[in-house]
Amino acid sequence: MSPGIMEEQLLVALGTDADLAAAGCAAEIGEQVGIIVRRGSHYRGAWYWQRDTFSFTPAGYSESTFEARTIDEALALTRQLALK
C-alpha cells in the first residue's frame, strides 16, 4: 500500500481511540513526516509508513526507534509511549 493510504488509516485509528482521547492525545498529518502525535501541547513523536512497516520516531530522537507491522500494533505502541 502507499504511504498516504496507510498513514491515513493509522490517523483515523489514533483519532478515534478512546484511551488516547481521554488522556488528551491527538494525531495530525505532519508537514515533513507522516503523523504527528501530541499529548496536550507536548510533541510525543511521529509515525510514518516505510517499506511495509510503520516506524515511530519519539520526541528528541533523529531516527525511528520503534516499528509496527499493523495498525493495531502501532496503536498499542502509541498508547504505551504517549501515555507515559
Side-chain angles (χ1 to χ4, degrees):
M1 289 264 185
S2 76
I5 291 170
M6 295 305 292
E7 289 173 1
E8 179 67 30
Q9 290 178 359
L10 180 57
L11 180 66
V12 169
L14 293 169
T16 58
D17 185 78
D19 293 334
L20 292 173
C25 292
E28 61 192 47
I29 296 292
E31 290 182 26
Q32 296 179 357
V33 273
I35 300 168
I36 304 299
V37 178
R38 298 183 189 281
R39 184 171 184 192
S41 62
H42 300 282
Y43 172 74
R44 301 301 294 162
W47 281 108
Y48 59 95
W49 178 256
Q50 182 179 13
R51 286 172 261 165
D52 297 329
T53 302
F54 287 105
S55 298
F56 185 78
T57 304
Y61 286 72
S62 61
E63 58 187 52
S64 65
T65 59
F66 297 96
E67 292 185 346
R69 301 283 302 171
T70 67
I71 289 172
D72 288 338
E73 286 178 19
L75 191 54
L77 271 170
T78 303
R79 285 187 198 121
Q80 178 184 354
L81 298 168
L83 301 180
K84 282 185 177 181

Coordinates of all heavy atoms in Angstrom, one line a residue:
M1 N 0.8 -1.2 0.0 CA 0.0 0.0 0.0 C 0.9 1.3 0.0 O 2.0 1.2 0.5 CB -0.9 0.0 1.2 CG -2.0 -1.0 1.3 SD -3.4 -0.2 0.7 CE -4.6 -1.5 1.0
S2 N 0.3 2.3 -0.4 CA 1.0 3.6 -0.5 C 1.1 4.2 0.9 O 0.2 4.0 1.8 CB 0.3 4.6 -1.4 OG -0.8 5.1 -0.8
P3 N 2.2 5.0 1.1 CA 2.3 5.7 2.4 C 1.1 6.5 2.8 O 0.6 6.5 3.9 CB 3.5 6.5 2.3 CG 4.3 5.8 1.2 CD 3.3 5.3 0.3
G4 N 0.5 7.2 1.8 CA -0.6 8.1 2.1 C -1.8 7.3 2.6 O -2.5 7.7 3.6
I5 N -2.1 6.2 2.0 CA -3.3 5.3 2.4 C -3.0 4.8 3.8 O -3.9 4.8 4.7 CB -3.5 4.2 1.4 CG1 -4.1 4.8 0.1 CG2 -4.5 3.2 2.0 CD1 -4.1 3.8 -1.0
M6 N -1.9 4.2 4.0 CA -1.6 3.6 5.3 C -1.5 4.6 6.5 O -2.1 4.4 7.5 CB -0.3 2.8 5.3 CG -0.3 1.6 4.3 SD -1.6 0.5 4.7 CE -1.1 -0.2 6.2
E7 N -0.9 5.8 6.2 CA -0.9 6.8 7.2 C -2.3 7.4 7.5 O -2.6 7.7 8.7 CB 0.1 7.9 6.8 CG 1.5 7.4 6.9 CD 2.6 8.3 6.4 OE1 2.2 9.4 5.9 OE2 3.8 8.0 6.4
E8 N -3.1 7.5 6.5 CA -4.5 7.9 6.7 C -5.3 6.9 7.6 O -6.0 7.3 8.5 CB -5.2 8.1 5.4 CG -6.6 8.6 5.5 CD -6.8 10.0 6.1 OE1 -5.9 10.8 5.9 OE2 -7.8 10.3 6.8
Q9 N -5.1 5.7 7.4 CA -5.8 4.6 8.2 C -5.3 4.7 9.6 O -6.1 4.6 10.5 CB -5.5 3.2 7.6 CG -6.3 3.0 6.3 CD -6.0 1.7 5.7 OE1 -5.2 0.8 6.2 NE2 -6.6 1.4 4.5
L10 N -4.0 4.9 9.8 CA -3.5 5.0 11.2 C -4.0 6.3 11.8 O -4.4 6.3 13.0 CB -1.9 5.0 11.2 CG -1.3 5.1 12.6 CD1 -1.8 4.0 13.6 CD2 0.2 5.0 12.5
L11 N -4.0 7.4 11.1 CA -4.5 8.6 11.6 C -6.0 8.5 12.1 O -6.3 8.9 13.2 CB -4.5 9.7 10.5 CG -5.0 11.1 10.9 CD1 -4.1 11.7 12.0 CD2 -5.0 12.0 9.7
V12 N -6.8 7.8 11.4 CA -8.2 7.5 11.8 C -8.2 6.7 13.1 O -8.9 7.0 14.0 CB -9.0 6.9 10.7 CG1 -10.4 6.4 11.2 CG2 -9.2 7.8 9.5
A13 N -7.4 5.6 13.1 CA -7.4 4.8 14.3 C -6.9 5.6 15.5 O -7.5 5.4 16.6 CB -6.4 3.6 14.1
L14 N -5.9 6.4 15.4 CA -5.4 7.2 16.5 C -6.4 8.2 17.0 O -6.6 8.4 18.2 CB -4.1 7.9 16.1 CG -2.9 7.0 15.9 CD1 -1.7 7.8 15.3 CD2 -2.4 6.3 17.2
G15 N -7.1 8.8 16.0 CA -8.0 9.9 16.3 C -9.3 9.4 16.9 O -10.1 10.1 17.5
T16 N -9.6 8.1 16.8 CA -10.9 7.5 17.3 C -10.6 6.6 18.6 O -11.6 6.0 19.1 CB -11.6 6.7 16.3 OG1 -10.8 5.7 15.8 CG2 -12.1 7.6 15.1
D17 N -9.4 6.6 19.0 CA -9.1 5.7 20.2 C -9.5 6.4 21.5 O -9.0 7.5 21.8 CB -7.6 5.4 20.2 CG -7.2 4.5 21.3 OD1 -7.5 3.2 21.2 OD2 -6.8 4.9 22.4
A18 N -10.4 5.8 22.2 CA -10.9 6.4 23.4 C -9.9 6.6 24.5 O -9.9 7.7 25.2 CB -12.0 5.5 24.0
D19 N -8.9 5.7 24.7 CA -7.9 5.9 25.7 C -7.0 7.1 25.4 O -6.6 7.8 26.3 CB -7.0 4.6 25.8 CG -7.8 3.4 26.3 OD1 -8.8 3.6 27.1 OD2 -7.4 2.3 26.0
L20 N -6.6 7.2 24.1 CA -5.7 8.3 23.8 C -6.5 9.7 23.9 O -6.0 10.6 24.4 CB -5.2 8.2 22.3 CG -4.2 7.0 22.1 CD1 -3.9 6.9 20.7 CD2 -3.0 7.3 22.9
A21 N -7.7 9.7 23.5 CA -8.6 10.9 23.6 C -8.8 11.3 25.1 O -8.6 12.5 25.4 CB -9.9 10.7 22.9
A22 N -9.0 10.3 25.9 CA -9.2 10.6 27.3 C -8.0 11.2 28.0 O -8.1 12.0 28.9 CB -9.7 9.3 28.1
A23 N -6.8 10.8 27.5 CA -5.5 11.3 28.0 C -5.1 12.6 27.4 O -4.0 13.1 27.7 CB -4.4 10.3 27.8
G24 N -5.9 13.2 26.5 CA -5.6 14.4 25.8 C -4.6 14.3 24.7 O -4.0 15.3 24.3
C25 N -4.5 13.1 24.1 CA -3.7 12.9 22.9 C -4.4 13.2 21.6 O -5.6 13.0 21.5 CB -3.2 11.5 22.9 SG -2.1 11.0 24.2
A26 N -3.6 13.7 20.7 CA -4.2 14.0 19.3 C -3.2 13.6 18.3 O -2.0 13.6 18.5 CB -4.5 15.5 19.2
A27 N -3.7 13.3 17.1 CA -2.8 13.0 16.0 C -3.2 13.9 14.8 O -4.3 14.2 14.6 CB -2.9 11.5 15.6
E28 N -2.2 14.2 14.0 CA -2.4 15.1 12.9 C -1.4 14.8 11.8 O -0.3 14.3 12.1 CB -2.3 16.6 13.3 CG -1.0 16.9 13.8 CD -0.9 18.3 14.5 OE1 -1.8 18.6 15.3 OE2 0.0 19.1 14.2
I29 N -1.7 15.1 10.6 CA -0.8 14.9 9.5 C 0.4 15.9 9.6 O 0.1 17.1 9.9 CB -1.5 15.2 8.1 CG1 -2.6 14.1 7.9 CG2 -0.5 15.2 7.0 CD1 -2.0 12.7 7.7
G30 N 1.6 15.4 9.5 CA 2.7 16.3 9.7 C 3.1 16.9 8.4 O 2.8 16.4 7.3
E31 N 3.9 18.0 8.4 CA 4.3 18.7 7.2 C 5.5 17.9 6.6 O 5.6 17.8 5.4 CB 4.8 20.1 7.5 CG 3.6 21.0 7.8 CD 4.1 22.5 8.1 OE1 5.1 22.8 7.6 OE2 3.4 23.2 8.8
Q32 N 6.4 17.4 7.4 CA 7.6 16.7 6.9 C 7.6 15.2 7.1 O 8.3 14.5 6.4 CB 8.8 17.3 7.4 CG 9.0 18.8 7.0 CD 10.3 19.4 7.7 OE1 11.0 18.8 8.4 NE2 10.5 20.6 7.3
V33 N 6.9 14.8 8.1 CA 6.8 13.3 8.4 C 5.3 13.0 8.5 O 4.4 13.8 8.6 CB 7.5 13.0 9.7 CG1 8.9 12.7 9.5 CG2 7.2 14.0 10.8
G34 N 5.0 11.7 8.4 CA 3.7 11.1 8.4 C 2.7 11.7 9.4 O 1.9 12.6 9.1
I35 N 2.6 11.2 10.6 CA 1.6 11.5 11.6 C 2.3 12.0 12.8 O 3.1 11.3 13.4 CB 0.7 10.3 11.9 CG1 0.0 9.9 10.6 CG2 -0.3 10.6 12.9 CD1 -0.6 8.5 10.7
I36 N 1.9 13.2 13.3 CA 2.5 13.8 14.5 C 1.5 13.4 15.7 O 0.3 13.5 15.5 CB 2.5 15.3 14.4 CG1 3.3 15.7 13.2 CG2 3.0 15.9 15.7 CD1 4.8 15.3 13.2
V37 N 2.1 12.9 16.8 CA 1.3 12.5 17.9 C 1.7 13.5 19.0 O 2.9 13.8 19.3 CB 1.7 11.1 18.4 CG1 0.9 10.8 19.7 CG2 1.4 10.1 17.3
R38 N 0.7 14.1 19.6 CA 0.8 15.1 20.7 C 0.0 14.6 21.9 O -1.0 14.0 21.8 CB 0.4 16.5 20.3 CG 1.1 17.1 19.2 CD 0.7 18.5 18.9 NE 1.2 19.0 17.7 CZ 2.5 19.5 17.6 NH1 3.2 19.5 18.6 NH2 2.9 19.9 16.4
R39 N 0.5 15.0 23.1 CA -0.3 14.9 24.3 C -0.4 16.3 24.9 O 0.6 16.8 25.4 CB 0.3 13.9 25.3 CG -0.6 13.7 26.5 CD -0.1 12.6 27.4 NE -1.0 12.3 28.5 CZ -0.8 11.6 29.5 NH1 0.4 11.0 29.6 NH2 -1.7 11.5 30.5
G40 N -1.6 16.8 24.8 CA -1.8 18.2 25.2 C -1.0 19.0 24.2 O -1.0 18.8 23.0
S41 N -0.1 19.9 24.6 CA 0.7 20.7 23.7 C 2.1 20.1 23.5 O 2.9 20.7 22.8 CB 0.9 22.1 24.3 OG 1.5 22.1 25.5
H42 N 2.3 18.9 24.1 CA 3.7 18.3 24.0 C 3.8 17.3 22.9 O 2.9 16.4 22.7 CB 4.0 17.6 25.3 CG 4.0 18.5 26.5 ND1 5.0 19.3 26.8 CD2 3.0 18.7 27.5 CE1 4.7 20.0 27.9 NE2 3.5 19.6 28.3
Y43 N 4.8 17.5 22.1 CA 5.1 16.6 21.0 C 5.6 15.3 21.5 O 6.5 15.3 22.3 CB 6.1 17.3 20.1 CG 6.7 16.4 19.0 CD1 5.9 16.1 17.9 CD2 8.0 15.9 19.1 CE1 6.5 15.3 16.8 CE2 8.5 15.1 18.1 CZ 7.7 14.8 17.0 OH 8.3 14.0 16.0
R44 N 5.0 14.2 21.1 CA 5.4 12.8 21.7 C 6.2 12.1 20.6 O 6.9 11.2 21.0 CB 4.2 12.0 22.1 CG 3.3 12.7 23.2 CD 4.1 13.0 24.4 NE 4.5 11.7 25.0 CZ 5.5 11.6 25.9 NH1 6.1 12.6 26.4 NH2 5.7 10.4 26.4
G45 N 6.0 12.4 19.3 CA 6.7 11.7 18.3 C 5.9 11.6 17.0 O 4.9 12.3 16.8
A46 N 6.5 10.9 16.0 CA 5.8 10.8 14.7 C 5.9 9.4 14.1 O 6.9 8.7 14.3 CB 6.6 11.8 13.7
W47 N 4.8 9.0 13.5 CA 4.7 7.7 12.8 C 4.8 8.0 11.3 O 4.4 9.0 10.8 CB 3.3 7.1 13.0 CG 3.2 6.4 14.3 CD1 2.4 6.8 15.3 CD2 3.7 5.1 14.6 NE1 2.4 5.9 16.3 CE2 3.2 4.8 15.9 CE3 4.5 4.2 14.0 CZ2 3.6 3.7 16.6 CZ3 4.9 3.0 14.7 CH2 4.4 2.8 16.0
Y48 N 5.5 7.1 10.6 CA 5.5 7.1 9.1 C 5.6 5.7 8.6 O 6.0 4.8 9.2 CB 6.6 8.0 8.6 CG 8.0 7.6 8.9 CD1 8.7 6.8 8.1 CD2 8.5 8.0 10.2 CE1 10.0 6.4 8.5 CE2 9.8 7.6 10.5 CZ 10.5 6.8 9.7 OH 11.8 6.4 10.1
W49 N 5.0 5.5 7.4 CA 5.0 4.2 6.7 C 6.1 4.1 5.7 O 6.3 5.0 4.9 CB 3.6 4.1 6.0 CG 3.5 2.8 5.2 CD1 3.6 2.7 3.8 CD2 3.2 1.6 5.7 NE1 3.4 1.4 3.5 CE2 3.1 0.7 4.6 CE3 2.9 1.1 7.0 CZ2 2.8 -0.7 4.8 CZ3 2.6 -0.3 7.1 CH2 2.5 -1.1 6.1
Q50 N 6.9 3.1 5.9 CA 8.1 2.9 5.0 C 8.4 1.4 4.9 O 8.5 0.7 5.9 CB 9.3 3.6 5.7 CG 10.5 3.6 4.9 CD 11.7 4.4 5.6 OE1 11.6 4.7 6.7 NE2 12.7 4.6 4.8
R51 N 8.5 1.0 3.7 CA 8.8 -0.4 3.4 C 7.9 -1.4 4.1 O 8.4 -2.3 4.8 CB 10.3 -0.7 3.7 CG 11.2 -0.1 2.7 CD 12.6 -0.3 3.1 NE 12.9 1.0 3.6 CZ 14.0 1.3 4.4 NH1 14.8 0.5 4.7 NH2 14.1 2.5 4.9
D52 N 6.6 -1.2 4.0 CA 5.6 -2.1 4.6 C 5.6 -2.2 6.1 O 5.2 -3.2 6.7 CB 5.7 -3.5 4.0 CG 5.5 -3.6 2.5 OD1 4.7 -2.7 2.1 OD2 6.1 -4.4 1.9
T53 N 6.1 -1.1 6.8 CA 6.2 -1.1 8.2 C 5.9 0.4 8.7 O 6.4 1.3 8.1 CB 7.6 -1.5 8.7 OG1 7.9 -2.8 8.2 CG2 7.7 -1.5 10.2
F54 N 5.2 0.5 9.8 CA 5.1 1.8 10.5 C 6.3 2.0 11.3 O 6.7 1.1 12.1 CB 3.9 1.9 11.4 CG 2.6 1.9 10.6 CD1 1.7 0.8 10.5 CD2 2.2 3.1 10.0 CE1 0.5 0.9 9.8 CE2 1.0 3.2 9.3 CZ 0.1 2.1 9.2
S55 N 7.0 3.1 11.3 CA 8.1 3.5 12.1 C 7.8 4.7 13.0 O 7.1 5.6 12.5 CB 9.3 3.8 11.2 OG 9.7 2.7 10.5
F56 N 8.2 4.6 14.2 CA 7.9 5.7 15.2 C 9.2 6.3 15.6 O 10.1 5.7 16.1 CB 7.1 5.2 16.4 CG 6.7 6.3 17.3 CD1 5.6 7.0 17.0 CD2 7.4 6.5 18.5 CE1 5.2 8.1 17.9 CE2 7.0 7.5 19.4 CZ 5.9 8.3 19.1
T57 N 9.3 7.7 15.5 CA 10.4 8.4 16.0 C 10.0 9.3 17.2 O 9.2 10.2 17.0 CB 11.0 9.4 14.9 OG1 11.3 8.6 13.7 CG2 12.2 10.1 15.4
P58 N 10.4 8.9 18.4 CA 10.0 9.6 19.6 C 10.5 11.1 19.6 O 11.5 11.4 18.9 CB 10.6 8.8 20.7 CG 11.0 7.5 20.1 CD 11.3 7.8 18.7
A59 N 9.9 11.9 20.3 CA 10.4 13.3 20.5 C 11.8 13.2 21.0 O 12.2 12.4 21.9 CB 9.5 14.0 21.6
G60 N 12.6 14.1 20.5 CA 14.0 14.2 20.9 C 15.0 13.2 20.1 O 16.2 13.3 20.3
Y61 N 14.4 12.4 19.3 CA 15.3 11.4 18.5 C 15.3 11.9 17.1 O 14.4 12.5 16.5 CB 14.7 10.0 18.6 CG 14.9 9.4 19.9 CD1 14.2 9.8 21.1 CD2 15.8 8.3 20.1 CE1 14.4 9.2 22.3 CE2 16.0 7.7 21.3 CZ 15.3 8.1 22.4 OH 15.5 7.5 23.6
S62 N 16.4 11.5 16.4 CA 16.5 11.9 15.0 C 16.2 10.7 14.0 O 16.1 10.9 12.8 CB 18.0 12.3 14.7 OG 18.9 11.3 15.0
E63 N 16.0 9.5 14.6 CA 15.6 8.4 13.8 C 14.6 7.5 14.6 O 14.5 7.6 15.8 CB 16.8 7.6 13.3 CG 17.6 7.1 14.4 CD 18.9 6.4 13.9 OE1 19.6 7.1 13.1 OE2 19.2 5.3 14.3
S64 N 13.9 6.7 13.8 CA 12.9 5.8 14.5 C 13.5 4.8 15.4 O 14.6 4.3 15.2 CB 12.1 5.1 13.4 OG 12.8 4.2 12.7
T65 N 12.8 4.5 16.5 CA 13.3 3.5 17.4 C 12.2 2.4 17.6 O 12.6 1.4 18.3 CB 13.5 4.2 18.8 OG1 12.3 4.8 19.3 CG2 14.6 5.2 18.7
F66 N 11.0 2.5 17.1 CA 10.0 1.5 17.2 C 9.4 1.2 15.8 O 9.3 2.2 15.0 CB 8.9 2.0 18.2 CG 9.4 2.2 19.6 CD1 9.7 3.5 20.0 CD2 9.5 1.1 20.5 CE1 10.1 3.7 21.3 CE2 9.9 1.3 21.7 CZ 10.3 2.6 22.2
E67 N 9.0 0.0 15.6 CA 8.3 -0.4 14.4 C 7.1 -1.2 14.7 O 7.0 -1.9 15.7 CB 9.2 -1.2 13.5 CG 10.4 -0.4 12.9 CD 11.2 -1.2 12.0 OE1 11.1 -2.5 11.9 OE2 12.0 -0.6 11.2
A68 N 6.1 -1.1 13.8 CA 4.9 -1.9 13.9 C 4.5 -2.3 12.5 O 4.5 -1.6 11.6 CB 3.8 -1.0 14.5
R69 N 4.1 -3.6 12.4 CA 3.7 -4.1 11.1 C 2.2 -3.9 10.8 O 1.8 -3.9 9.7 CB 3.9 -5.6 11.1 CG 5.3 -6.1 11.3 CD 6.2 -5.9 10.2 NE 5.7 -6.6 9.0 CZ 6.3 -6.5 7.8 NH1 7.3 -5.7 7.6 NH2 5.8 -7.1 6.8
T70 N 1.4 -3.6 11.8 CA 0.0 -3.4 11.6 C -0.5 -2.1 12.3 O 0.2 -1.6 13.2 CB -0.9 -4.6 12.2 OG1 -0.8 -4.6 13.6 CG2 -0.4 -5.9 11.6
I71 N -1.7 -1.7 12.0 CA -2.3 -0.5 12.6 C -2.5 -0.8 14.1 O -2.3 0.0 14.9 CB -3.6 -0.1 11.9 CG1 -3.2 0.5 10.5 CG2 -4.4 0.9 12.7 CD1 -4.3 0.8 9.6
D72 N -3.0 -2.0 14.4 CA -3.2 -2.4 15.8 C -2.0 -2.3 16.6 O -2.0 -1.9 17.8 CB -3.9 -3.8 15.9 CG -5.3 -3.8 15.4 OD1 -6.0 -2.7 15.4 OD2 -5.8 -4.9 15.1
E73 N -0.9 -2.8 16.1 CA 0.4 -2.7 16.8 C 0.9 -1.3 17.0 O 1.3 -0.9 18.1 CB 1.5 -3.5 16.0 CG 1.4 -5.0 16.0 CD 2.5 -5.6 15.2 OE1 3.6 -4.9 14.9 OE2 2.4 -6.8 14.8
A74 N 0.7 -0.5 16.0 CA 1.1 0.9 16.1 C 0.2 1.7 17.1 O 0.7 2.5 17.9 CB 0.9 1.6 14.7
L75 N -1.1 1.3 17.1 CA -2.0 1.9 18.1 C -1.6 1.5 19.5 O -1.5 2.3 20.4 CB -3.4 1.4 17.8 CG -4.6 2.1 18.5 CD1 -4.5 3.6 18.4 CD2 -5.9 1.6 18.0
A76 N -1.3 0.2 19.7 CA -0.8 -0.3 21.1 C 0.5 0.4 21.5 O 0.6 0.8 22.7 CB -0.7 -1.8 21.0
L77 N 1.4 0.6 20.6 CA 2.7 1.2 20.9 C 2.4 2.7 21.2 O 3.1 3.3 22.1 CB 3.7 1.1 19.7 CG 4.5 -0.1 19.8 CD1 5.3 -0.3 18.4 CD2 5.5 -0.1 20.9
T78 N 1.5 3.3 20.5 CA 1.3 4.7 20.7 C 0.7 4.9 22.1 O 1.1 5.8 22.9 CB 0.3 5.3 19.7 OG1 0.8 5.1 18.4 CG2 0.0 6.8 19.9
R79 N -0.2 4.0 22.5 CA -0.8 4.1 23.9 C 0.3 4.0 24.9 O 0.4 4.7 25.9 CB -1.8 3.0 24.1 CG -3.1 3.2 23.4 CD -4.1 2.1 23.8 NE -5.2 2.0 22.9 CZ -5.5 0.9 22.2 NH1 -4.8 -0.2 22.4 NH2 -6.5 0.9 21.4
Q80 N 1.2 3.0 24.7 CA 2.3 2.8 25.6 C 3.2 4.0 25.7 O 3.6 4.4 26.8 CB 3.0 1.5 25.2 CG 4.2 1.2 26.0 CD 5.0 0.0 25.5 OE1 4.6 -0.6 24.5 NE2 6.1 -0.3 26.1
L81 N 3.6 4.5 24.6 CA 4.6 5.6 24.6 C 4.0 7.0 24.9 O 4.6 7.8 25.7 CB 5.2 5.7 23.2 CG 6.0 4.4 22.8 CD1 6.4 4.5 21.3 CD2 7.2 4.3 23.7
A82 N 2.8 7.3 24.4 CA 2.2 8.6 24.6 C 1.6 8.8 26.0 O 1.4 9.9 26.5 CB 1.2 8.9 23.5
L83 N 1.2 7.7 26.6 CA 0.5 7.7 27.9 C 1.5 7.6 29.1 O 1.0 7.4 30.2 CB -0.6 6.7 28.0 CG -1.7 6.8 26.9 CD1 -2.7 5.8 27.0 CD2 -2.3 8.2 26.9
K84 N 2.8 7.6 28.9 CA 3.8 7.5 30.0 C 3.6 8.7 30.9 O 3.4 9.8 30.6 CB 5.2 7.5 29.4 CG 5.6 6.2 28.8 CD 7.0 6.3 28.4 CE 7.5 5.0 27.9 NZ 8.9 5.0 27.6

